[in-house]
Amino acid sequence: MAYSSLRSPNLSPMSPIVEDFLSDSNSTFTSDEPLSPTLQPQRKYSLLKAKPTTQLTLDISSPTTYSSSSAGSSVKSFNAISNKMESGVCGEVRPKEGSVDDILLGFMNRSNSTELHINKFLSTFGNGQRKETDSDNETESEEEGMEQADSYIDSDISLENNCGKPLISQSPDNSLISINEEYTGYRRKYGNEDPQSTNWTRHRKHFFILSSAGKPIYTRYGDESRISSYMGVIQAIVSFFADSDDTIRCINAGQHRFVFLLKGPLYLVAVSRTNESEAQLRDQLNYLYNQILSILTSTQLIKIFEQRINFDLRRLLGGTEPFLDNLATSMSDEPGFMLGSIQCVRMNKDLRDKIGNIMQSVKSKDLLYAMLITNRKLITLLRPKKHSLHPADLHLVFNMVNGSSTFRSAESWTPICLPKFNNKGFLYAYVCYIATNVCLLLISPDKDKFFELSEAKSIIVEQISMNNILQDLEETLRCDGYSIADVGVPGLRHFIYKSRTHVQYTSPTFVEPYCNPQERQILFKLYRYTHDRMHSRVRSLKVHYYAGSSETILGWITSSFELYAAFGPLVSKSALTSSSHALLRWIKREEDNLFIVNSPVF
Amino acid sequence: MEAHGPSITVPSSLAYFCVYNPNFGPTEETQKDQLLYYVAKKTVPMDVKMRQIGLAQGLIHFTRVFSPLKPCENVHTQKNRLTFYEPEPNYWIHISIELSYIKKIIKDKDGKPKTIVEYLDSNLHDSGIKRMLQLGYGMYKMFNGPFDLTVHTVGIKALKNKLEEFFANWVFNWDFDKMDIAKTIDGTSYLPLSSSARKQITSFTDKFHSEYDFISDILILKNNKLVCSGKKIITEDEIRELLRYLFPLISERNKFEIEIEKQKNKEGEKYYTFKDFTRTLSGGNLFAFFSSPPSNTTPKCSPSSSPTNNTEIPNSTFLSPPLSTPFPSLSPSPSPSSSSPLSISNFLIGPQNLQGGTDGVNEEEIKPTTIYLNKKSIEKTIDEECAHNVDEYYLLSYKKNSITIVFLIPHSSLEGSKKIHDITFYRSIDTYLSSQTEDLINILNEEEERTRIIGTEIDKEYRYLLFNKITLAVKSSLYVNNITYPSSSSSSNNNNNITYNDEMSPLKGLTITNEMAHSLCDLHEDLEKFPHITEIYTRSSSNFWIVGKRIDGRVLYVVVPKKEASLTEVEEDVRRLISLYFSGTLTDNFD
C-alpha cells in the first residue's frame, strides 16, 4: 500500500471518524446498522467470487457504498480507507482540525453568545459581496441570453456522460481538483467554479446541504470546501430563528427563492430562480435528504452527529455525489418527483403478466421486492402482500441504478436504505442488467443473500429468454413509449395523467413543438405552475385553466386522477373540454397497458 | 384524528416595525444610530433591536450574493413574516408580523387530547404587505418629504421625530388578516362620465383656472370617486395616496354635517352638545383610515382596512398627529352659541372660519398644508437643491355636499404663496364656488345615477374587479353590499337628507368569503408574475370559479359562485359581464 502518497491533506480528515467509531463500545462493526454494513461479509465475497467486479471491490473497501468510479480509482479509495483504519488503530488518532473548522467553530460560538457578532460577520461578509453587485449590473442586462444558456444546466443532459469517463483534469490549476475526484474519478460539471464568480451564483437552481454546525456537505455546483463562508451564514441565519423558537422556511428575493429544510443534524437549502414554489422546492430537498438516508440510514446519521456535532459528513459521503447530482438533475426534468408517483412502461398487459409470473416463480423467502426497470420506468414490480413500495423509495432505487454506469457492467450487491420502508436500517439490493436497457433488481433484508439472489436471477433470465419474452420486451422498449398521435385526440399537444389509485403516471413522448430540451423545460415549467396552484395546502383547486402566449394548460383533479394537458394557445374552451374527455376515454381503454394495475405479490 | 372541542383563531399582529439606515452607524459602537424609528408590540431592549436589524442586514447581504439587484424582500418562517422595503437608497423599512394561527385540540392515536397549533402562512399575502408599506411610505413622503431631504435640511433628529409622529399609532392598527385583492391593487375609483358631462367639467375647471391662474391643478371628487384628475401634475400613484388622506376627512365632515342637520331639526335643543359628539369620536388618528375606510366603493383603500367594517365611519381625522391639522377650528368652542358649529367653512383643508372682520383672523393662524410631489422627469435637474426630485405644493380642499375639490398651488408661485396666507383669498374662492358648484353637483348626480342603474341584476350573480395598471383606475363590485356613503339623492338642494345609507346595496346573497378573497389575491399575484398569461380560470375545492382575464391592458377579476357550472358556461358568463359593463361609454373615463 502506498501509505505515504495517500496521506494527502484531502484525505487525512478521514481519521477522526474511524477513531470515533472504534472508541465507541457499540462499535460500527458489531452494531446492526454499521457504518459499512457489508464490510466483513463482502470481503468474503470478493475472495469467494470468481470474478470480482469493480463494484464489489468498492463495496468491500469503502464505507461509502457507491461509486461511479473507474476501476483504478476505486482501488485507490480502498487503499486509502484501509490505510485510515490502520492509522486509527495505530493510535494516530488526533483529529486535525483544519483552519476552516476553526473559523466555523469560532463563528458558531460567537453567534451563540452575542447576536451583535452575527451582524458584524454578516456585514463584513456582505461588504465583500457588494463589489460583486456592481459588476453584476452589466450582466443583468444579458439576462435573456444567459437564460437560454442556463436552461441547459437544468435540462436533461445526462450526468452519465461524465460518469464513465476517465478522469482528466482540465483545470490548469491542479489545486482546484475536488476531493471527489481524488476518491473516485467522478468529475463534476462546474466543479471548479469559483463561488465568488457570477457564473456560479447565476445557476438556476442551487442545492446545498450542510450540517447544523455549518459544515458544508454537498453543493450542486462548485466545490464544497470553497463555500464554507456561505454555509456559515446559512447556519447563522437558521440558528437566529431557532433561538426564538421559530423555524425559517423561505426567503424571497426578486426572482430568487431560498427554501430551507431542517432535518435534525442536516440543513438543506435550495436557492432557485426557476419559479418553482416553496412547496415544490421543499419536496425536492426531501428527496435529497432521503438520498442521504439511503446511504447512511437515519440511525447512523443521528449517531454520528451525536458523537461529534462538528463532524465532516463529506468523509462518509465521498463518492456518492453522482447520485445527489443525478437526483438534482432528474428532479428538474421528470414530473414523477413533483407528482409523487412513478412512470411505467406502456406495454401489452399479457407480456407484463408473463414477466411477472416468471419473476414470481422464483419465490424466495429472502426476497422482499423484485423489480424490472428500464430508464427510470417500471416494467413490473413484485412485492409482499403487506408491503407496497412508496414512490419516493422507488425514485431512490431508480436514481441509484441511473446514477452509476458501473451497474451495467456486472452483478452488484449494495446496501440501500429505503426511508419510507424503514429509515433505520439497510436493505440489500442485487442489481444486474439482463439486457441492454433492462435492469433486474432483487431486494432482500438479509445481507448475506448475494449468491441466492444471483441464482434467482439466472433462473429468471433463463425463463425470460424462452418463448421470445425478452425479445418482445426489448422490442417494446425500442419503441420507447407512445406519441400523442397514438392517442388521437385533436388539438392535444401533450399531457401528463396521474392515476391516483395506482400512484403511477403516464405521459407521451415529446414531439413537435417540444423537441429540444429547452422547449420541454418550458412546458414542464407550465405544468409545474399548474400543479403547484392545484395542490396549495389551504386552497387546493379542482380545475386550473390558463392561456399563455404559446400554450393553453388545463389542470384537472378528481378523486381518481390528476390530468395536466397542453393545448395550442387559441383552443376554444369547448374544444378543450371535449378533447379532455376524449383523452380520458382513451386512457380508460388503455389502462391495463399504461399502468401496472395489479402488481403481483409474493 | 378528529377535531375535539373548539378551535381558537388568533389573528396576525405586528411584532415590530422599524426604519433604519445602515450608513448612519457603520461601526459597532455607532450601530444604534442606524435605527431611525422602532416600534414593537412589547418593550424591547436595545440589544434585541440591534439584533433584529443586524439580522435584517445579514439577510439582505446574503441574498444579494444570488440576487444582486433585488435582495431579500420577505422571509417566511413558521411563525412570522419579515418584510423589507428600501424606498430610498439605504433607507430600509422593515416589518415583522406574527402569523395568525389556529389552536385546536385533537385526539391523537391513543385518544389522548393534544393541542396543535397551525400557523396560517398562506393567508398573509406578500403583495398585500408590500403595498401597505409602499402606501405608508408614499403618504409619509407626500406630507413630510423624502427621508433624505429631511436629513439634509433639518437633520437626523428631525427625521426621527417625523417618523415617530407619522407611524406611532398607525402601525398597530393594520389589520393584516383583511388584506384582500382590492387593497393589494389599491386603485382609484373613477366616476364614469358621458362626453357632455366631461365637457361641462372641463369648462368649469378652465374657468376656474383663468380666475385663479396661480392654482396649478384641480382635482374633483364625487363622494369617493374621482371625477377629474386635473392636469397630471399629480401622478396616479400620488393621487391614490392623497385620496387615502382625504377620504377620512370627507367622511368626518359628512358625519359632522349630519349632526348639524339633526341639531337644526331638534327644536327643543338649544345648543348642540359637543361633549356627546366628541365622545363618539374614537380618539382620532390617522390610522382610522387605514383600519376602516370611510366611504367608498373601493373600501379597500388601505392595506388593512376591513371592507365589512364600514358601518363605523372613522372620524376625527383632524386629530391625526402625523399631518398638520387641516381644520383645527372644527373643535367647537365650548360656548353654547348655537351658531358655532355652523360657522365651519366649506374648506376641508384650509381655514375653518372665514367670518369676522378682515382683521378678525390673524394671518399667522392660517397654516397652509404643504405636500411634496415627485418632479416630472422632464423637469429633473442636476441642481444640488433639487436632488430629491420633489416639488412643494400648498394643498387646499373645498367640500360642498358630495363634491370635494382639491387645489394645488406651487410654492414657486409668488402670488400663490402670498394668497395662501390671505383670508380674503379663501373668502373669494368660497364665494366663487358657492355659485358655481350647483350645476356641477347636478351634472355629477345624473352621471352617478346613470351608472348605478346598469347591472344591478347581474351583480347578484357575480362579483368583479377591473383594474387598469397604467392609470390605476379600478372598478369593483366585490364588496358592494358593504358600501356606505352619503346618498347622492340628497344633493341638488342643500337639504337635510344627507344620510349614510344602504340603499346602494340591494345585492344580498353573494358575499365574498375569506377563501374567495385569498384566491383572488393568489390569482392577482400569478397574473403579475406571469405576464404571458392572458387568462386564468380556477375552480376551487369548494366549487366556486374565479377568473382573471386581461382585456386591452386592463385586468378583470370575476368571482362566479356557481357550483355546477362548466368551464364553457363560466366563459359565457364572463363574456356577458364584459359586454354589459365594459363596453361603450362606461369605460371612457376609465382609461
Side-chain angles (χ1 to χ4, degrees), chain B residues 220-235:
Chain B
I220 302 172
L221 282 104
K222 172 85 170 76
N223 289 322
N224 62 325
K225 289 190 176 175
L226 197 58
V227 174
C228 160
S229 58
K231 296 176 179 171
K232 307 287 180 195
I233 282 178
I234 179 164
T235 64

Side-chain angles (χ1 to χ4, degrees), chain B residues 355-366:
Chain B
Q355 311 203 333
T358 328
D359 44 21
V361 176
N362 189 336
E363 286 188 10
E364 280 173 30
E365 277 179 25
I366 300 170

Side-chain angles (χ1 to χ4, degrees), chain A residues 383-497:
Chain A
R383 58 183 180 84
K385 250 180 202 152
K386 286 180 185 166
H387 295 286
S388 56
L389 194 50
H390 195 284
D393 284 345
L394 264 171
H395 279 301
L396 285 181
V397 171
F398 288 179
N399 189 56
M400 177 184 78
V401 174
N402 222 39
S404 165
S405 55
T406 42
F407 288 113
R408 289 178 177 271
S409 53
E411 301 173 78
S412 304
W413 183 242
T414 176
I416 181 171
C417 167
L418 298 178
K420 298 283 178 185
F421 177 80
N422 173 15
N423 64 10
K424 294 194 170 64
F426 281 111
L427 296 172
Y428 301 87
Y430 172 87
V431 187
C432 181
Y433 275 81
I434 62 170
T436 328
N437 253 332
V438 183
C439 180
L440 176 71
L441 269 128
L442 303 171
I443 295 175
S444 166
D446 188 335
K447 64 174 182 277
D448 295 324
K449 295 298 176 199
F450 174 83
F451 294 110
E452 287 81 348
L453 296 182
S454 178
E455 201 60 31
K457 179 219 69 176
S458 304
I459 299 168
I460 291 172
V461 170
E462 193 181 308
Q463 293 201 20
I464 218 167
S465 307
M466 290 192 296
N467 303 328
N468 284 342
I469 294 177
L470 189 59
Q471 213 178 324
D472 290 350
L473 176 63
E474 284 191 289
E475 188 54 44
T476 305
L477 297 183
R478 206 165 297 128
C479 298
D480 191 26
Y482 56 97
S483 84
I484 196 74
D486 299 337
V487 183
V489 171
L492 184 64
R493 287 185 176 181
H494 189 261
F495 70 90
I496 301 174
Y497 175 97

Side-chain angles (χ1 to χ4, degrees), chain B residues 33-83:
Chain B
D33 298 336
Q34 295 179 5
L35 206 54
L36 298 168
Y37 177 63
Y38 185 98
V39 63
K41 195 155 91 170
K42 302 169 199 149
T43 321
V44 171
M46 191 43 119
D47 66 316
V48 174
K49 294 179 191 172
M50 290 300 107
R51 202 182 132 107
Q52 284 161 344
I53 62 167
L55 173 78
Q57 288 167 51
L59 286 165
I60 287 156
H61 288 314
F62 176 61
T63 47
R64 255 198 189 122
V65 172
F66 297 94
S67 178
L69 298 181
K70 283 189 179 169
C72 188
E73 290 168 275
N74 55 67
V75 177
H76 295 230
T77 75
Q78 189 201 355
K79 299 176 181 172
N80 293 284
R81 177 78 51 84
L82 313 183
T83 304

Side-chain angles (χ1 to χ4, degrees), chain A residues 115 119 130 136-137 245-247 249-250 252 254 256 529 533 538-540 542-543 545-547 573, chain B residues 31 51 64 68-69 73-74 76-80 122-123 522 526 534-535 537 539 541 543 571:
Chain A
E115 43 291 330
N119 174 35
R130 211 52 207 249
D136 215 59
N137 289 340
D245 195 26
D246 197 358
T247 313
R249 298 174 60 83
C250 173
N252 295 308
H256 279 79
Y529 158 62
R533 266 292 166 252
V538 284
R539 285 185 289 281
S540 58
K542 287 179 172 173
V543 175
Y545 160 98
Y546 72 93
K573 291 184 188 61
Chain B
Q31 198 205 4
R51 202 182 132 107
R64 255 198 189 122
L69 298 181
E73 290 168 275
N74 55 67
H76 295 230
T77 75
Q78 189 201 355
K79 299 176 181 172
N80 293 284
S122 53
N123 285 356
D522 291 342
D526 286 353
T534 51
E535 56 176 5
Y537 284 61
R539 181 188 198 178
S541 336
N543 287 322
E571 186 191 28

